Amino acid sequence: MSQTSPQPVTAAIVGPGNIGTDLLVKLRRSASIDVRYVVGVVESDGLARAREFGVDASAEGIDWLLRQDPLPQIVFEATSAAAHVANAPRYAEADIQAVDLTPAHLGPMVSPPVNGAEHLDSPNVSMITCGGQATIPIVHAVSRITPVPYAEIVASVASRGAGPGTRANIDEFTETTARAVEEVGGAVRGKAIIVLNPVEPPMIMRDTVFCAIGAEADRDAITASVHEMVAEVQQYVPGYTLRAEPQFDEPQQSWDGNARVGVFLEVKGNADYLPAYAGNLDIMTAAAARVGELMANRTKENAA
């Protein structure tokens, strides 16, 4: 029986913006990961805050990072898709695992409670999207009980919580999330919709999941599976809650004779660095931290 080394795995965060800083606050609570470095390309408030935490921080980019001794064992990339495409081969050459929070999607798409344990040895994993992190676990909770020929998710987030990157890549968001609803969630066909709501004060993230199911599907088993999955996500996103019990609709001809289950979620952020209404960003950094911890524990087990 292997024993896990008590020494934490070393890590770096590349991209000291809001996402990177929120991730740093979360990872400072981890017993498995020691964030040694934070890297940007210009001096910024994020680098200054990292230094206040006692973390080595530099505006000289990954050229500086790859000169450090020791090198990080894991890097969290919170930059842009273009930057990650350029950086990923250099991480791989240096034998550094990458957890990608950008839309680059070079590695397998990961949702921690669904397939987080399947890609712990992958050199590069992709954190899908915020809407996917919130809803794909529910699609999977249904599909592990009964076939899901179609799943549709609607992610509603505060407009203030959607930065320029999200707005510039809104089409990629819907396409990637829909693909992940199928490939990770288990639906035969998936569709994703995002709503940027400008209401003031800003709304907390809300998500709706509709899954087509057979007329004879075991509804009690589906409800139990959904509750079990919500509890799993709450282990790393405490503000992830059901707004109501799963609701079932009877079969309709317009749904190809299928019945339907609707699941309604709220994601309140942990307010580590970002505001509590930004649950869409919080669930991304929380999921990345979760996957990083799983990778770190695997690394320590292999080294023991």
Side-chain angles (χ1 to χ4, degrees):
M1 179 178 176
S2 64
Q3 294 183 339
T4 301
S5 167
Q7 294 299 320
V9 167
T10 58
I13 296 173
V14 177
N18 289 337
I19 293 287
T21 301
D22 190 78
L23 180 60
L24 174 61
V25 175
K26 285 178 167 58
L27 290 176
R28 280 169 51 81
R29 296 194 291 264
S30 173
S32 301
I33 294 177
D34 176 17
V35 179
R36 295 277 187 91
Y37 315 109
V38 172
V39 180
V41 293
V42 295
E43 288 295 338
S44 65
D45 291 342
L47 292 180
R49 185 175 294 269
R51 293 185 183 111
E52 291 174 2
F53 288 148
V55 177
D56 288 341
S58 171
E60 298 180 40
I62 69 166
D63 288 339
W64 175 88
L65 178 65
L66 296 178
R67 292 196 301 268
Q68 301 310 299
D69 184 14
L71 286 171
Q73 293 164 281
I74 298 174
V75 63
F76 296 87
E77 180 95 51
T79 55
S80 67
H84 186 61
V85 168
N87 295 341
R90 302 184 68 185
Y91 299 144
E93 184 178 359
D95 196 26
I96 301 171
Q97 282 189 293
V99 178
D100 176 21
L101 287 82
T102 82
H105 300 301
L106 301 182
M109 295 187 290
V110 170
S111 169
V114 178
N115 66 344
E118 297 175 11
H119 302 291
L120 299 184
D121 297 318
S122 174
N124 195 325
V125 297
S126 171
M127 297 311 302
I128 316 179
T129 63
C130 61
Q133 294 297 340
T135 60
I136 286 169
I138 300 302
V139 176
H140 176 71
V142 178
S143 70
R144 67 186 175 184
I145 301 298
T146 188
V148 175
Y150 174 75
E152 179 178 302
I153 73 97
V154 182
S156 300
V157 305
S159 182
R160 279 199 199 180
T166 298
R167 296 172 188 278
N169 296 289
I170 202 76
D171 291 341
E172 289 81 358
F173 174 95
T174 56
E175 292 167 4
T176 299
T177 307
R179 182 160 59 91
V181 165
E182 299 168 359
E183 296 181 8
V184 182
V188 174
R189 186 165 63 92
K191 184 173 184 178
I193 299 169
I194 184 172
V195 178
L196 305 183
N197 193 321
V199 65
E200 293 289 345
M203 62 172 289
I204 293 173
M205 185 188 197
R206 294 283 182 89
D207 299 279
T208 301
V209 181
F210 290 120
C211 292
I213 57 176
E216 304 302 324
D218 186 336
R219 299 183 180 190
D220 289 340
I222 291 172
T223 297
S225 181
V226 167
H227 278 281
E228 181 181 342
M229 182 59 76
V230 169
E232 287 190 47
V233 177
Q234 285 174 337
Q235 292 180 21
Y236 59 96
V237 187
Y240 185 85
T241 55
L242 281 175
R243 294 293 299 172
E245 288 295 306
Q247 297 179 14
F248 294 89
D249 294 304
E250 298 302 323
Q252 295 188 18
Q253 288 302 318
S254 59
W255 300 340
D256 297 328
N258 288 307
R260 186 177 74 173
V261 57
V263 179
F264 308 95
L265 303 158
E266 180 176 279
V267 186
K268 183 178 180 181
N270 206 43
D272 290 318
Y273 176 70
L274 300 163
Y277 67 76
N280 55 310
L281 304 179
D282 186 87
I283 198 169
M284 278 290 283
T285 56
R290 181 72 162 186
V291 169
E293 288 194 313
L294 293 172
M295 284 181 164
N297 290 336
R298 170 65 66 87
T299 297
K300 292 194 294 181
E301 288 172 0
N302 291 341

